[in-house]
Amino acid sequence: MENENKTMEMNRLLTILSEGIDEMRRLSSHLNEQLLADAMNVQSRFSQAIAIVSSMEATGMHQMPSQGHTAASGSLGGSFSGSPIEGSERIVKKRKGTVKRTINVRGTVPDDGQPDTTLEPDDGFSWRKYGAKYLLNAKYPRSYYRCTFQKNQNCEALKHVQRSDEDPTIFVVTYQGDHICTQHVGKTQSTEHQLLIPMQNESDEHVIINFNNSNIPIGTHESAHDDQSKILSLSSTISSTQAGLRSERYNEFSPSSTSFGGAFSSGGAFSSGFVSSGASDSNYFSVFQSQFGADFGGGSSFHGSESELNDVISPPPGAQVVEKDSSKQCSEVGGSFVFGREDDKNKIFELILGDNNNSRERNCVSVVADRGTGRTTILNIIYNDERVFDAFDSRRFICMPEEFDDTELMRLVIQSLSCVPCNVTEIEILKEILTEELRDNKVLLLLDNFESKTQKCWDLLSVLLNVCTIGSTVVVTTTQKTVAEVRGPMHFYYMNHLSDEWSWFIFKQSTFCSLNPSANSDLLDIGKHLVAKCRNNVLCIKVVSGLVRHLVTLDWWKAVLDSLSWEMDEMEGDVPPALRVCYEYLPPCLKKCFKYCSLFPKEHVFSKQHLVQLWLSQGFIEPGESKDLENIGLDYFDELVSRSFFRTLSIHNTKEEKFMMPGLVHDLVQQLCQNEYFQLEGYKQQVPGKACHLALVPREFQSVSLKQLTTGVHNLQTFIVLNRSDYICEGISPSILNLVELDDLFKRCMNLTTLKLDNTDIEELPQSIMLLSNLCFLGLSNTNIKRIPMEISNLVHLQTLEAKDCHYLEELPRTIEALTNLHYLDVRKEAGYVVMPRGIAKLTNLRRLATFNVGMDPLMHCGIEELKYMQHLKGCLEISGLVNVRNGIYAKKADIRSKDRIETLSLHWSDAKTILEGEDGAEIAEEVLLNLHPKHNLKELVIQDYPGNVFPIWMESSYFLTLVSVIFDHCYNCERLPDLGGLPLLRFFSIQKMHNVQTMNLSNSKLIPENSTRYPSLEQLNIWEMYELVNWVEINNRDFPCIHSLSISKCSNLRNIPKFTYLVELSIYSCAQFLEFMDLPSLQLLRIDSLHKTKIIRLPKNLLQLKKLEISHCPDLLSIEGLPEVKSIEIKVVRCPKFNLENNLNMKREETSVLA
């Protein structure tokens, strides 16, 4: 009884104190600065008193209620952000000694005032949602929660929350079990959020971190209790949608532990993406830049980004928390910024470009630098520089393999230039092909990691240069001067390591943004020691920075500095110890994902989406509360990128972002996985019996006996075939590998979960595929497979099926409907399509469906209405075979408008125009397109082979606020284009093969106000193969303010181009004559190509900004008139046999750069 009285007194005291804090907070918003300081002092007294009472209760009593606790809430519930209904508390059941108690609580009504959106009440405790379901006849679902600290503190407290059907603002909250965890300080909704972190040191201090939504600093306070509580205030700008750490949670941890167990192990309290709030309106903060949902680098971290967590203010003595300057944000080290390397970059530029880009000799440059110094980053920047783009006809960036000879080098260059595979082995034939590719071209070849000491390879570089035109350049990078000296005469450039000053600057910029030395002197000292251990290696500095910027306390920084791995000698392959240290601090889930990358060769080009699919097939992605597994996997990858284990590539001309693993990082992961993960290139080795993951990397076409290669291997979980061309050059079609005895492999290795047979010549899968019951990933892209067996229905766990560019595959088996766990299906191919069976609508878990083909037979093939049931689709969706939709009502049933996660929509009818030659054909197509109205957040739209006469009205509205790209291809019956001028973000617009359009009028809609600027963001406009186009209506000066490029091709009847005030580049291809244009005041580049009947090109006189004129393939061209009177212009005339340069130049040669 005495303890109960004390508990009640404590409850009342905490209630009074928390009410006082609430009152002071409300008053603070109305006070001036002078009175605000006094109010903060009063508020801090209340906070101090709560900390004292909580500490007293923790040492002398059972579990106490949290701050803001009401008398009615009891020890089970904590303090509600809402208002408990008086008299509603009742004991429901008592079973096996466990009390089950129910209380009705009114939630917080949001600003919109809608009862159904009332937010669940927050009771001050930290809960993790583990399920939800609808009860019989219930209008709203019931949500189930368990204590966040169930695993690491064995707290068995549970609760479930049910919204009342009668009054949606009231929630029925049922508790089961008591909290036995150390949750002493809670919170009330929209008030302070506190984080109690026990520090392991001599005084056994506890740091209580408050996250104050009001952005009012509360100051520093100390309790009078023996266990000093130091309260540090943090102002936070926290997005309620960010998946992250619940702000009130706290837990114990060991900062001295290198493995960061306890709260920072998998599933601990700081597992941000895997922890759900007990109330849907609770605030979150993300502890990682990528908003990643797991415990990286030992758990909670404070990034330098203001968007994730505002800076720490007023730190108390001894709090040992990183303080950052809130006025500055972290700068990413990398990308287009090369700290400390600007001089190196400029000097390499000079060596490549020569004398003002007009070098009269061929050039070979060798850049000698150690790995990790930033040489590849600098070359990437140079490769993408506009000056380089303008100076060369063709440029290629080739990442060289570790071993190659002169034959392999020629094949790589040919593949890179032609974008087709080259399996030729005869030297003379290769030379002929190479000569044809390089002749009459000014070429830049960047050969990264060129480590060959073979004289033949270096002699070949001279041959390459002699074939090219003058001014061509080959740049090689190597780590050894002796390698570069094999060639003899060439330009050398030696890149040294960064200076100590620049090394420290990069670390500081990446880690702290800007430091306050007086507040962080200890961290500064540790940081400088860490930089010294990195030995001025840029990669090591960035990787170490990526680790420590996640760590919030001084002890963690010390743990990294004192790691035993620093004392290790550099491992084989010269891998710096810094990389090993940073790997050891990765959380277990990321270590598994990182090690899986050892299957891929060095210089492999990674696709984020594809790699995540492979991780998913292996079960490496841990489930979260609010995100699906794919999004969590993408966050995993982003986290590895933020830690510099991957770098972004800028040399691939694809929409999808590409990545590569730095060489030193690849060496590290190879050394970590020598037996479990096995990569085989030469097939002369035997695969070890302990291997669980195997990758084959063929150098050229060859046959492989799997039985002989994998004898003794029985526990294989991954078998993938990788094509060398996929990662050495961009845009390469892969070569072929012949696999023998695949059936034997399936029978011996029935635990396979990932099977990737891309680029092989298999024509069918053996029936033993049905034995792979655990298979989750099946890749068959670019194979000769003709059919997928019916037995695929046995693969009930299959998540991914990729069969791209399988030219002989005509249809999917009807048993595919049994694959209800399928998330990713891609059967695209360049020519034709793969028929899909009726019943594919049963694949309701599909997330990504690259193409959906509407079949001709409604009984056997799928209909467009089956898309209705695929509500999780996202990304890109191509719908082909729309010619087979015979009634617009079926298109409406597809319910495209409800699929709000589709970003790219491609609608294809058919090339067979005769199919719709009936009277109703065009009308049906118009009705179909009208009913395929997409969601407003669409980004890209493609309409191809559309047989209708008009476009639907929804295209001409400003409804699509996020649309950036539109392509109209072969809409052959349309005579008028829709006016897209009101789309605010449209940047790319392509119109091609619209043969009935005679007048181009891009500003004809009455839905857009006359005085508004049309096409405000458009950058590129293409007009191609418009054979009947004659006239282009003039446009207003205010329209197209961002237009950069206009391309006109095969418009044989077009006579004029209207005035584009801001146009920078104009390209005219294959037109009957040179088009007239009077006023293009901003034009800088003019390209003219394949004007076969044109004898004279007359330029307007006002091209005062023109810098470059390129004319090619004009066989009858005699002269150019009206060259602008500018100081300098570069003129390039190629393959115009009748053109006489000397008779046509009206400018001084010394002022003109001419290439003929």
Side-chain angles (χ1 to χ4, degrees), residues 579-593:
L579 301 184
R580 167 74 75 165
V581 171
C582 296
Y583 165 77
E584 290 175 350
Y585 279 80
L586 287 175
C589 55
L590 269 193
K591 283 184 177 178
K592 290 186 291 186
C593 295

Side-chain angles (χ1 to χ4, degrees), residues 507-531:
F507 180 85
K508 185 172 67 172
Q509 285 291 107
S510 181
T511 308
F512 302 120
C513 304
S514 181
L515 282 172
N516 182 349
S518 61
N520 301 283
S521 57
D522 290 335
L523 291 177
L524 282 169
D525 292 340
I526 295 177
K528 290 178 179 179
H529 280 92
L530 289 172
V531 172

Side-chain angles (χ1 to χ4, degrees), residues 822-825 843-850 852 866-879 894 896 898-903:
L822 200 63
H823 285 187
Y824 185 94
L825 176 61
L843 305 181
T844 56
N845 283 317
L846 275 176
R847 265 62 175 174
R848 296 185 184 271
L849 179 61
F852 180 91
E866 296 194 55
L867 283 171
K868 173 183 178 180
Y869 304 97
M870 303 177 187
Q871 291 298 322
H872 302 294
L873 291 180
K874 59 182 178 181
C876 302
L877 173 62
E878 174 187 306
I879 305 176
I896 297 297
S898 69
K899 296 169 176 51
D900 57 358
R901 292 192 292 175
I902 292 179
E903 297 179 348

Side-chain angles (χ1 to χ4, degrees), residues 659-717:
F659 301 85
M660 186 176 287
M661 185 174 283
L664 287 174
V665 176
H666 187 269
D667 289 348
L668 169 67
V669 73
Q670 285 286 317
Q671 294 168 14
L672 294 170
C673 316
Q674 293 183 351
N675 291 321
E676 182 182 1
Y677 295 85
F678 199 77
Q679 179 196 130
L680 198 58
E681 290 196 32
Y683 312 121
K684 296 180 181 180
Q685 296 174 269
Q686 187 73 26
V687 179
K690 294 182 180 180
C692 295
H693 308 276
L694 174 62
L696 302 185
V697 188
R699 286 181 174 271
E700 55 191 31
F701 181 84
Q702 56 192 126
S703 295
V704 177
S705 172
L706 296 178
K707 185 175 182 179
Q708 179 181 353
L709 194 66
T710 61
T711 300
V713 179
H714 298 281
N715 193 33
L716 205 60
Q717 298 171 27

Side-chain angles (χ1 to χ4, degrees), residues 1115-1131:
D1116 293 335
L1117 181 65
L1118 299 175
S1119 64
I1120 304 173
E1121 297 180 1
L1123 284 172
E1125 297 293 334
V1126 295
K1127 182 177 180 181
S1128 177
I1129 181 173
E1130 179 181 348
I1131 301 176

